[in-house]
């Protein structure tokens, strides 16, 4: 195989790893959990004047709990259904790469 093909294979592996690392569910879930905690704390420390403005409904508390639930849902979804690794394009080519690491590689590909 050519050096170009080895570089392409390496880029495919790193991009698949980056796709799993930066899954949108992880980012959305994390942000909703962080903001949910902040808004829930604001709801727990609400004054009577704040409650009177909202007709005695602690909107910060309920919104914060909803955001926490949504964030936990996204993180649980990520944990229960992780992003599958992409299959190799050609099994014969993947086997050749594993056997022959090429001149510029020190260790064989996994």
């Amino acid at each position: 195989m050519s050096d170009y093909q080895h570089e392409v294979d390496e880029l495919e592996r790193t991009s698949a790893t980056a796709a799993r690392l930066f899954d949108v569910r992880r980012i959305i879930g994390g942000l909703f959990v962080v903001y949910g905690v902040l808004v829930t704390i604001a709801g727990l420390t609400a004054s009577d004047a704040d409650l009177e403005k909202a007709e005695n409904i602690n909107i910060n508390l309920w919104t914060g709990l909803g955001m926490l639930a949504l964030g936990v849902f996204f993180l649980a979804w990520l944990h229960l259904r992780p992003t599958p690794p992409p299959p190799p394009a050609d099994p014969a080519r993947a086997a050749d790469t594993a056997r022959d690491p090429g001149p510029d590689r020190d260790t064989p590909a996994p």
Side-chain angles (χ1 to χ4, degrees), residues 11 32 42 70 92-93 96:
L11 286 174
F32 267 99
L70 185 64
R93 189 177 75 190
D96 289 341

Side-chain angles (χ1 to χ4, degrees), residues 49-68:
D50 292 336
L51 292 176
E52 281 183 29
K53 285 186 214 176
E55 297 180 10
N56 291 327
I57 297 173
N58 197 341
I59 194 68
N60 283 337
L61 179 64
W62 290 109
T63 303
L65 291 175
M67 291 173 78
L68 274 172

